[in-house]
Amino acid sequence: MSSPRIALVTGANRGIGRAICAALIQQCTGPLILYTASRAGASVDLNGLSIPPAVQVRPAQLSLTDQASITALSTMIGSEHQGCDILINNAGLYYFQENITTAQRQETLDVNYRGTLNVCQAFLPIMRKGGRIVNVSSQSGQLKYFHPRLRAQFLKPDLTLDELDALVSEYTRLANQKAATASGWPPLTYFASKAAVNAATRILARENPHLLINCCCPGWVGTTLGAQAGPPPKSVEAGAKIPVRLAIGNIGRVSGRYWANDSVASAADGKVQEW
Ligand SMILES: NC(=O)c1ccc[n+]([C@@H]2O[C@H](COP(=O)([O-])OP(=O)(O)OC[C@H]3O[C@@H](n4cnc5c(N)ncnc54)[C@H](OP(=O)(O)O)[C@@H]3O)[C@@H](O)[C@H]2O)c1
């Protein structure tokens, strides 16, 4: 019997993350050990889904703002399995208002951008050749919401992680002074955090050509997060489609790209888009 594929999904306890886990269990061919990470570290309720004998589902504790928990999980998976094949960074948060506190702004950047990047960096050393990383981003990170000067900075072909950090720091300083929108940034911190995720995805893909590293928008999906903006048109199952395709589906050798549907209401399985 072939050795099992090792997969980790963050934010697996609810919303799109839980639907991603259910789809992986149903669609993955061959043996699979799936780590379902959540802040509480509890078993994920998969709504009575029957688990095939070749699949093991294991709960894991992970908080994106706690580097020790990120390191501990990558160390555990590395020592138990000597590698990881699939990492889906799905966990995220959205304060759906312009006037958030400095602490809420910092939390948004720490979870969506810094936390996602920290998980990538902790797992990169144990990702097996041909492994896939999927960063669940958002159409909110599209550069059409940013001033052309910032667009050019995000899209610089040789942008480094240090330069990206500096850009995020510049945003934070301006936003804390209530001067970000006048400087060409979008009004909501969530947008800046997801643009940074997309840029980090491109950089990590460039630096790790042995892996397929992509990001995506799942669409507008009926979850706690998605329902803040009104009644979402998509189910969690439809929202899981693009992330699952990027993790186990046919995407050729595409890496470092942003995947989405033409409309956030579409339940298609995504295509490469400019962001
Ligand atoms: N829903 C949409 O319409 C939509 C659209 C575009 C993009 N997205 C993206 O899709 C992803 C999933 O969103 P969702 O709609 O499924 O949201 P959700 O139902 O609110 O779930 C968010 C998940 O992220 C986890 N999380 C939040 N902060 C965390 C932290 N500090 N450490 C670890 N886990 C943390 C939550 O865990 P707890 O239960 O412990 O809080 C939860 O599992 C997010 O990245 C979101 O930005 C969603």
Side-chain angles (χ1 to χ4, degrees), residues 11-17 39 62-65 90-93 111 136-138 190 194 217-221 223-226:
N13 55 319
R14 60 187 167 97
I16 298 168
R39 276 192 282 196
L62 182 76
S63 169
L64 292 192
T65 52
N90 160 78
L93 64 83
V111 172
V136 180
S137 184
S138 167
Y190 182 78
K194 293 296 192 179
C217 176
W220 184 11
V221 180
T223 65
T224 310
L225 186 154

Side-chain angles (χ1 to χ4, degrees), residues 16 35 47 85 140 148 151 186 197 243:
I16 298 168
Y35 286 92
N47 295 333
D85 301 289
S140 306
R151 230 178 278 159
V197 167

Side-chain angles (χ1 to χ4, degrees), residues 155-173:
L155 288 176
K156 192 160 99 62
D158 58 352
L159 185 73
T160 64
L161 287 176
D162 283 347
E163 288 170 335
L164 178 58
D165 268 351
L167 203 49
V168 172
S169 296
E170 177 196 317
Y171 164 74
T172 309
R173 182 179 56 76

